[in-house]
Amino acid sequence: MSAMSILRIHEFPDEVLRRPADPVGNVDGRLQALIDDMFETLYAAPGLGLAAPQVGAPLQLFVYDMGIREGERERKIILNPTIVEQEGEIAEEEGCLSIPDYREIVKRAAKVFLKGYDRDGRELQIEAHGLEARLFQHELDHLNGVLMFERLSPLKRDLFQRRLKKRLKTAGE
Ligand code: NI
């Protein structure tokens, strides 16, 4: 038995965050260990969701836990997810563990229908709305190498990039 460990969360502008992830082929012991470590990392952050590319693994999987807010853990994992249907539009604030100290209003579909697999290879079909729908879209973007600021208007995106450049410059001084 190996101990679980907290992984390093890669931050923008790390290249691993910009590459589309590869589909998961089979769920072996190494992948199960990665999933356990991702939960440890998610709880330590703390955050609601974490996609594999954020910990440097270019694989189509993400973990999440909506129970965190109620103080009751509910570990969920989705492999090879796709959104097959979406409906409506809603603008709400969100953040990202790979972009620390940044929150912004992002427009997302209000309701999504997601298909994928659990860690035992069973097929999942989930209809989500509210925060869960937002989380699915955010994590799925990570699996496609897309970060939340790319969902903003050109004006806000520009503002983000300027603020970030300033911060990176200050950090390097
Ligand atoms: Ni994120």
Side-chain angles (χ1 to χ4, degrees):
M1 204 181 102
S2 62
M4 288 187 276
S5 42
I6 294 168
L7 307 168
R8 178 169 77 89
I9 296 177
H10 293 248
E11 293 176 6
F12 179 77
D14 200 320
E15 263 308 302
V16 73
L17 299 169
R18 312 311 293 279
R19 284 199 300 264
D22 298 321
V24 176
N26 78 72
V27 186
D28 55 13
R30 243 179 81 193
L31 196 81
Q32 295 286 3
L34 172 69
I35 292 167
D36 289 336
D37 288 346
M38 282 175 68
F39 276 113
E40 281 298 293
T41 310
L42 178 71
Y43 294 134
L48 284 181
L50 185 67
Q54 292 182 276
V55 292
L59 292 167
Q60 288 181 23
L61 76 95
F62 67 85
V63 301
Y64 70 105
D65 189 335
M66 307 291 295
I68 259 178
R69 300 188 148 187
E70 285 81 45
E72 206 174 298
R73 289 186 180 183
E74 202 186 343
R75 292 167 181 247
K76 290 193 174 164
I77 155 105
I78 301 182
L79 307 172
N80 299 344
T82 48
I83 287 174
V84 290
E85 263 179 67
Q86 59 182 60
E87 246 180 68
E89 188 181 78
I90 187 162
E92 297 249 21
E93 198 181 73
E94 62 183 71
C96 178
L97 293 174
S98 293
I99 313 173
D101 307 317
Y102 179 72
R103 296 190 68 80
E104 190 49 88
I105 307 274
V106 183
K107 269 188 209 163
R108 301 275 190 189
K111 188 172 147 187
V112 299
F113 189 70
L114 178 139
K115 280 189 179 179
Y117 297 87
D118 70 10
R119 68 192 296 172
D120 301 312
R122 280 185 297 249
E123 201 182 342
L124 294 169
Q125 300 192 3
I126 307 171
E127 191 184 287
H129 49 86
L131 188 58
E132 192 176 35
R134 175 163 298 273
L135 183 138
F136 283 174
Q137 293 167 83
H138 181 110
E139 303 308 335
L140 219 92
D141 270 355
H142 274 304
L143 304 185
N144 290 316
V146 174
L147 293 171
M148 57 173 277
F149 67 86
E150 291 171 86
R151 297 286 179 200
L152 303 175
S153 66
L155 181 77
K156 278 189 174 178
R157 206 183 311 158
D158 190 49
L159 212 63
F160 166 80
Q161 271 155 345
R162 271 191 280 165
R163 259 174 56 183
L164 194 94
K165 264 187 208 149
K166 211 166 142 189
R167 194 204 292 175
L168 291 176
K169 202 176 151 225
T170 314
E173 272 165 4

